[in-house]
Amino acid sequence: MEVPFSEVEESYLPPEDFSITTGESWELHITLEDGRRYQSTPEMATSPVSISEIEASYNPELEFNINEDDFVPGHKVFVTLDDPAAEDNFYLWRYRSFERLIACETCAGAIFRDGECISFEEYEAQFGPCIDENAIEPEYTYTCERNCWRIRFNEKIEIFSDEFTNGVSGNRLGVADVLLYTKNNLLIELQQYSLTAEGYRYFRILKDIVDNNGNFNAPPPAALLGNMFNVEDSEEFVLGRFTIGLASTASLFIDRTAIEEDPLEPERNNIETSDLFSGNGLKVRSTAPCSEGRFRTSVRPSDWIDN
Amino acid sequence: MNVRLGMLVFFFGLSFTLVYPQEHQLAFKVLDGTSNLPIKDANISIIPCRCGGASDENGEFSIYLQEKSYRVTLSFVGYESTRMSVDLKKDMQLEVKMKPKQERLSEVIVKAKKVNEMITSPQMGVLQLESQELKKIPTALGELDVLRGLTLLPGVNNTGEISNGISVRGGSLDQNLVLYDYAPVFNPTHLFGLFSIFTPDVTSSIDLYRANIPARYGGRASSVLDIKVKTPYADTLKLSGGIGLVSSRLNLETPLIKDKLTLVAGGRAGFTDFLLPIFSRRLKNTKASFYDGTIKLLYLPTKNDQITFTGFYTKDFYQLDLISRIENIEAENNQYDFQNLNGTLNWQHSFNEETALRTILVSGTYNADNIFPEIDSSNEIEFNSRIKHLSFISEFSKFKPAKRLDYYLGTQINRYKIDPGALNPGTATSITPITLAQETSYELSGYANLNWEPIRFLTLSTGLRYTYYFLQGPYTQNEYDNVSGNVVNTEVFEKGEVVASYDGLEPRLGASIRLNPTTSLKMSYARLNQYLQNIYNNTTPLPTSRWKTSDVNILPQTSDAYGLGIYKSFNENRIEASIETYYRDSRNNLTYRPGADFFLEQFVEREVVQAPGRAYGVELSIGKPKGNVNGWLNYTWSRSQLRTESESLSGRINNNQWFNSDFDRPHTLNGTLNYEADEYNTLSFNFVVQTGRPLTLPNGVVELSDGIRAPIFLERNNSRLPTYHRLDMSYNVHFSKSKKNKRWQNDWTFTIYNLYGRKNPLNVFYTQRNGSENSDIFLDSPLGSFELLVLNAPLFSLTYNFTFQ
């Protein structure tokens, strides 16, 4: 069976009703505009392993952050799973986190009108002089017009192989580091993918490149060669990998209101908007839209708990 | 030491007499200052002819020299050296009474010492670092350091401040045979490469053979570092020690039974936990401690026999957040714990003045463990690895001083038992115990070496070593598909069966041609085979890095090294200069396949690639060895490259083109300067400037679907770290506490390592950027780029040392 992919916002996606079940084997075929053809070796869908429990523990010194030049606080998320004994299992975890966004826009040296930050000079050039220079603040913050959630993603490659723990039931594994960017409550949506041995090896090289590169024993970086090849030229190095991962998902709501440590991002929860500029048809404005996208949504996450 | 030098000087002296016609006889009679008895074999060295020799049974020595002014130095073990000026205008006969040294040794001990020095005299082509010189070299935190001292010699490098060994002439760290009183040392450093492991105060000689390697050594492909422990030729108690910032030391040298049994014992202990957080908060979870200790017993059962026993023990324990965690074991942290335990029994029997038999038995164990404390539990999961080695050496040697000929022949049997790794869960139920199969291998060698001066002007050193190596079962040998790497065949060998065997002849050749009294030309060739290798995919190995014996898949490493050098002295030997060039052609060098992981890997052979290598260079050295102001300056131009020959794309490194090895350092300049102001004050400096280590920089960046930006690497070592340079200083004040009590002596050493605070990076790495942090530095780059530094400021230290004798 051949399934065509279609282009959506710089991504190529299969049809929405397309699904894969355990044991199926698929190949990816790519033909570029200039006729070069690439193909993957067959990739097998391995059975997902269900997550029996998800929990998080807070650590005021979760990890050393080089940008902060100090240890930073955050939660470590753990899952418990029953590792199947019959096979070698390889796991990959990714997450999306949702937190309520209060301030949807901040304009530095500018004000928010018509969906963008406009500098005062530009504003006055357009609408005539109407700004009292003594009243200008360095920046203006606008609350979200309606419910809005900030989406963040995992920043590390979290993988695990059961080479030393095959068949262990109730295996508790740390699968995500969620830094305390803000102290707003947070919902984690975790996906646990099952990989093949080759897929795991590829993600381990990726992990070495992305996460394990700043240490005394940093492995020298390697090319991300996966399972893709040029059909006409076996000597061409093709980067990237066609990976099938069947996922189990779990969600966890984390209440962070009682945490004492300062968050990594400046707190913007008490916004006193002083943008009172108006004139020539423009109104005083204190809010901004949610701007849906990869990093924001106004769609309430299904496991969100209101408080 | 004196004897070695004397022999060399003697050869050169004779050639000199032929060149210049107008001569007078200069004759000496050397006598003991107290007894007036003649001293045999006293060294007589004459400057500027750089000639001399040894006194005969009547204490006499004579030489014909040109009419000129000379400075003569007479020396002999147990006596103070005597210096004199001679204005040679006619035949002269001089009677010299040598004054016994204060710490006068008994006749038995002196004789034993002399025999020992004769037997252990090295060949030409050796770089020596004497422990006295070592003490002058300014070091980090005031720790005397053999390996770091060696990096100031031409052709010797390391991987930076953190280096678990040295690289000699572009070879890798495991291609050096490191021997400590004949016992191999598998991990020569404390604290992941910060300090050398050898007990500093009991080290007597450090010989580095990098060109003309004597036939008695074999088993590693690039060089031999032979470190000897001081033999306790003592008849009084001597106590010495030191207190430093990092470690404290104590040594004892004493007779146990007069003229029969003597002992030297030294120990060092270091606790650095409290120091490290000062450098960075990042080190606050660090735990580190280390110990080393050496004892050596000398037993003199008869006047012709010497039996020594050397025991060496080291232990390290550390936990460091800056070492990546081992994957797939959930733990609070990762700890490293390793020990060396070696014992050497050495029996030297001298049949007469010219022949001796040496029989050595070495046994040792190297244990390297990882400890993984389980989360929320008192249980510890352990990874254990071990190398047990056993070695027997029997060597017959003969010296014919009159004929300027000496030779030795011997046999050596080595056995290595490697336990590559076992995972011991303790009480953890979630960990499966794993034990990788043991590897037992043998190296059986026979060797002979001849040093000979067939004609004046020419000294030859020829050697031949033959080694038969085999890997013995039980063993499971896999065969792999060249391209896919899949196992295509498995063969199981029973206990005692030979799994794989290799043998090889290793010719060694050295020639020294004396062109004129101040110039000589030396040539060398050596073939070396290596059957035991360290496998790691970091710039420097961890203590737990896997050692692997050659098998069907991993072929022995071999190298052919060619050398040519010119040595010249100027200004009446006050200045010495040399130019050496070398080319080393090697095969089956081990390098890791891109993305390899070796931890408890069953099919480790699949994760490495064997590659031919080439290393070549020119080493220029100029030195002023003596005087109040002394020192040396070296410049080395060298290259070290490898090339894979892999069929599969994933096994290729830089698409099978030559690439710079981790030890490629095109330019190195280093120098040492000592100013010995008077007998109390010494000021020393050393300076190093060197091309940065090869480094892999990304060819691009790709954003993955979860927003992670990954650097794309296509080549290995396509760039370099910035130029490495550093200046160190040390100031030593030596004083006697009481002028009357000369037995008690003290000194203070103040060192500043990295005097001008150069920030030499150890590595460069990339981080994800979330938002605008450090945007003034990184601008709109998709990744943050950081340099990993060990030192970002000068490092001061003060050490107190004492000697009581």
Side-chain angles (χ1 to χ4, degrees), chain A residues 61 64 66-71 76 78 93-95 153-157 159-166 168 171-175 181 198 200-202 204-225 234-239 294-295, chain B residues 162 192 281-282 284-285 320-324 327-330 375-376 423 429-432 434 537-539 542 592-597 599-600 607 649-650 652 655 696 703-714 762-768 770 773-774 778 786 788 790:
Chain A
E61 295 189 338
F64 187 85
I66 193 146
N67 288 308
E68 302 282 330
D69 197 24
D70 204 348
F71 286 86
K76 191 161 198 80
F78 294 89
W93 290 274
R94 287 174 168 174
Y95 74 80
F153 297 85
N154 49 289
E155 294 167 44
K156 290 181 183 168
I157 310 292
I159 48 172
F160 188 78
S161 147
D162 67 353
E163 57 178 331
F164 308 129
T165 50
N166 187 27
V168 169
N171 204 4
R172 185 173 180 264
L173 304 167
V175 296
Y181 284 111
E198 292 75 29
Y200 171 80
R201 188 184 164 95
Y202 176 85
R204 229 210 43 240
I205 296 175
L206 187 62
K207 184 176 177 65
D208 282 345
I209 291 172
V210 173
D211 299 334
N212 291 341
N213 63 6
N215 289 327
F216 287 159
N217 64 332
L224 279 169
L225 294 180
S234 62
E235 292 285 287
E236 185 177 327
F237 286 85
V238 184
L239 303 180
R294 239 176 86 74
F295 299 102
Chain B
I162 294 208
F192 196 32
R281 252 183 69 70
R282 194 175 183 183
K284 76 183 188 69
N285 294 326
L320 184 61
D321 282 351
L322 277 164
I323 298 177
S324 313
E327 305 278 335
N328 303 326
I329 296 180
E330 289 274 304
I375 298 170
D376 302 329
L423 195 63
T429 49
S430 61
I431 296 282
T432 325
I434 292 175
N537 65 338
N538 322 109
T539 43
L542 287 165
Y592 38 86
R593 201 178 273 270
D597 179 18
F599 184 73
L600 279 169
E607 305 280 308
L649 291 183
S650 64
R652 290 182 191 179
N655 206 14
T696 306
E703 186 165 334
L704 308 174
S705 58
D706 40 13
I708 289 175
R709 294 178 204 97
I712 293 292
F713 298 94
L714 300 174
L762 194 71
N763 205 351
V764 169
F765 63 99
Y766 303 92
T767 59
Q768 302 294 309
N770 294 295
E773 72 263 347
N774 295 322
F778 300 137
F786 289 86
L788 181 64
V790 178

Side-chain angles (χ1 to χ4, degrees), chain A residues 45-67:
Chain A
T46 53
S47 56
V49 175
S50 60
I51 298 169
S52 32
E53 203 185 329
I54 182 167
E55 63 196 300
S57 76
Y58 177 70
N59 183 348
E61 295 189 338
L62 182 67
E63 63 177 35
F64 187 85
N65 184 298
I66 193 146
N67 288 308

Side-chain angles (χ1 to χ4, degrees), chain B residues 436-437 476 478 480 546 598-605:
Chain B
L436 296 181
T476 305
N478 291 312
Y480 303 95
R546 178 106 165 236
F598 302 120
F599 184 73
L600 279 169
E601 171 60 51
Q602 193 185 347
F603 306 121
V604 72
E605 310 90 289

Side-chain angles (χ1 to χ4, degrees), chain B residues 53-72:
Chain B
S55 57
D56 65 11
E57 283 163 10
N58 302 318
E60 289 173 355
F61 170 79
S62 71
I63 188 169
Y64 282 91
L65 292 172
Q66 194 185 359
E67 191 174 300
K68 211 172 177 181
S69 289
Y70 295 95
R71 277 176 294 118
V72 182

Side-chain angles (χ1 to χ4, degrees), chain B residues 177-230:
Chain B
L177 179 65
V178 181
L179 297 173
Y180 189 66
D181 253 9
Y182 305 96
V185 175
F186 292 94
N187 185 342
T189 65
H190 284 306
L191 300 184
F192 196 32
L194 283 177
F195 308 111
S196 299
I197 212 159
F198 312 103
T199 313
D201 298 310
V202 299
T203 306
S204 76
S205 69
I206 302 145
D207 294 337
L208 179 71
Y209 300 91
R210 40 172 208 164
N212 172 30
I213 293 170
R216 67 162 66 99
Y217 304 106
R220 297 292 167 84
S222 106
S223 80
V224 177
L225 176 60
D226 188 4
I227 301 165
K228 290 278 176 17
V229 176
K230 193 187 274 184

